[in-house]
Amino acid sequence: MIRFLPLGGADEVGASCFYLNFDGTGILLDCGIHPQKTKIDSLPKFELIQNEPIDFLFISHAHLDHIGALPFLIKKFPYLKIYTTKQTLEIARLTLHNTVRIPNEKLSGTSNELLYDHDDIDLILRSAIEMEYEKALEIIGLRHSNNDSIKVTFYDAGHILGSASILIEYQNRRIFYTGDIKLSPQTIMSGAVLPDKPVDILITESTYAATDSEKVGNIKSEEDKLIKEANRIIHSGGSVLIPVFSLGKMQEVLMFLHNKMKRSKLTEAEIFTGGISRKLAHLYDLNRYLVNRNFEKIKLSEIEQINYFDVVNPDYYKKHPSIVLASSGMMIENTMSNKLMKYWLHHKSFGIFIVGYMDPSTPGYKISNSTQGEEIEIDKKTKVNCSVNRFHFPSHSTREELLEIAEKLKPSRVILIHGEPEGKDWFGHQILKSNQNVKVNSASVGNSIILSSEN
Ligand SMILES: [Zn+2]
Ligand SMILES: [Zn+2]
């Protein structure tokens, strides 16, 4: 029997974690935290698998909503074997140490047995095993009830450095888990690779299924729009703030700006970056010939950029037209992008560019929905004097690309995860419209789906 059970990340973006049981072998796909939730609510519901066999964990990529709960999971199931790509492990060595303080603070007082430290993280990551793209691994769990092994293969998901989709083959079934997937190329990442044969079951993300692509325009026109607006602001003596996620979006936007400046499409201006995103950019450089990507000859760390932590007085940005790539991506409190945004709001000639997903609970969401001249509530009532523009620079598949993946892989069952209910509804409906024989499930936490009852 094959059984699928979501522990988190079914109806939302956050705390992705999915359990699969293949005749007694227990496999987990991802173990993320929910960045907008606190304490125990930010973790996947590990208690649902307390009495299940658990042998292996496969991690699709290093965003915290897919890997952030790893230390907690290992506290509960220390014997678990962990597999992921070399690049995801390298990123995790940088980013998971940064989480030691935050989730421990978030969790303190609720579940002391889950607290972890830097040594725990070193130990976990040292024991993890590297997976190469398109190289199958055969596994079998301790309590497996027959002699048929399970085959696992990683495919490049085109989302961020080291990201993977995961194909699991068992007996006569092929199950494909997309992880976070970007089918078409971004500036650096060159687009997802799909298995060349159809699959039976597709477990697919649906982050942008709710976004009407006609309203946001194609990538080329969005790029042109961004460059035009950046030139306008720089020429008028203002500066541009682009809030970015430190992993993925920062590196993509930096490469994009560099290419445009090199070709004289974008007016030369000082570029500011800082924090962990610079270390992550270095990992993109170190791996540039090892992964499938574009512009592999250009090192991100050699692009001229100034550390924003070296700017003592933000009036600097008034005197020197600049482009600042600051994290966090959603401008949450106590981050550089939040601090700069409050300064930016006072200056008419300045502009804020929104290039990523904004959770409705964040300050970034308020900013991205505001217009110049409007009053909004950020700490206190504040007038938005600067311009605010949104540009669609997705690192997830668009809704058309999601459908294209389903059409290419011809599954007889599709399980929708990692998206808001509205988007999942649209996606499920479209799949059924093109083929009524496909079974579509909207995954929900705690509800098992039997994928095969054979044994
Ligand atoms: Zn991701
Ligand atoms: Zn995700």
Side-chain angles (χ1 to χ4, degrees), residues 152-387:
V152 181
T153 314
F154 275 32
Y155 287 83
D156 190 340
H159 172 60
I160 59 164
L161 177 68
S163 64
S165 302
I166 301 168
L167 177 71
I168 307 175
E169 295 164 278
Y170 179 62
Q171 293 175 339
N172 57 352
R173 285 282 195 284
R174 286 161 62 82
I175 301 171
F176 189 66
Y177 168 68
T178 60
D180 287 1
I181 190 167
K182 177 65 179 143
L183 191 58
S184 63
Q186 303 176 59
T187 305
I188 299 177
M189 302 306 296
S190 48
V193 176
L194 297 175
D196 43 21
K197 279 194 238 142
V199 304
D200 301 289
I201 294 141
L202 173 65
I203 304 168
T204 175
E205 67 129 310
S206 36
T207 318
Y208 279 130
T211 306
D212 187 343
S213 307
E214 276 175 23
K215 284 194 188 134
V216 291
N218 66 38
I219 187 82
K220 179 80 185 61
S221 68
E222 291 294 294
E223 287 181 2
D224 291 348
K225 241 170 63 190
L226 186 147
I227 294 301
K228 204 173 148 199
E229 184 61 11
N231 282 334
R232 186 192 67 76
I233 291 168
I234 293 163
H235 288 158
S236 69
S239 285
V240 178
L241 170 66
I242 312 181
V244 285
F245 288 112
S246 51
L247 171 56
K249 193 67 77 165
M250 179 275 190
Q251 293 77 20
E252 292 286 344
V253 175
L254 180 60
M255 182 69 83
F256 168 75
L257 296 175
H258 169 75
N259 287 345
K260 293 291 176 188
M261 274 188 197
K262 222 173 49 185
R263 290 189 208 119
S264 306
K265 301 263 190 248
L266 174 62
T267 308
E268 292 275 341
E270 288 175 347
I271 296 177
F272 286 80
T273 58
I276 198 162
S277 68
R278 289 164 76 112
K279 292 185 186 160
L280 292 165
H282 186 56
L283 287 183
Y284 270 69
D285 292 343
L286 289 176
N287 284 285
R288 67 197 196 280
Y289 293 113
L290 301 178
V291 295
N292 209 5
R293 58 163 272 189
N294 306 315
F295 303 110
E296 67 273 14
K297 291 209 172 78
I298 304 174
K299 279 181 161 183
L300 290 163
S301 45
E302 284 176 4
I303 296 174
E304 217 172 298
Q305 57 204 291
I306 307 171
N307 194 330
Y308 48 60
F309 288 108
D310 291 343
V311 178
V312 186
N313 185 342
D315 286 341
Y316 181 92
Y317 301 117
K318 246 179 5 187
K319 294 181 201 124
H320 304 84
S322 313
I323 302 176
V324 187
L325 307 184
S327 47
S328 75
M330 302 193 206
M331 296 188 261
I332 55 170
E333 285 81 9
N334 305 317
T335 63
M336 184 53 88
S337 62
N338 184 279
K339 194 177 136 196
L340 291 178
M341 169 265 284
K342 287 173 187 161
Y343 181 83
W344 248 244
L345 289 178
H346 297 297
H347 298 91
K348 203 163 177 257
S349 60
F350 282 28
I352 300 176
F353 289 5
I354 308 291
V355 294
Y357 175 77
M358 294 290 170
D359 188 278
S361 66
T362 59
Y365 185 83
K366 282 186 196 164
I367 297 290
S368 73
N369 285 294
S370 70
T371 46
Q372 202 165 19
E374 192 187 334
E375 273 209 338
I376 55 167
E377 188 83 32
I378 296 277
D379 296 343
K380 54 183 188 319
K381 266 207 164 38
T382 315
K383 193 172 169 197
V384 181
N385 286 303
C386 67
S387 59

Side-chain angles (χ1 to χ4, degrees), residues 416 420-430 442:
L416 306 172
E420 289 150 18
E422 187 194 322
K424 287 166 77 180
D425 281 351
W426 179 90
F427 193 9
H429 189 72
Q430 295 299 315
S442 175

Side-chain angles (χ1 to χ4, degrees), residues 39 66 108 340:
K39 300 192 174 167
H66 295 259
S108 59
L340 291 178

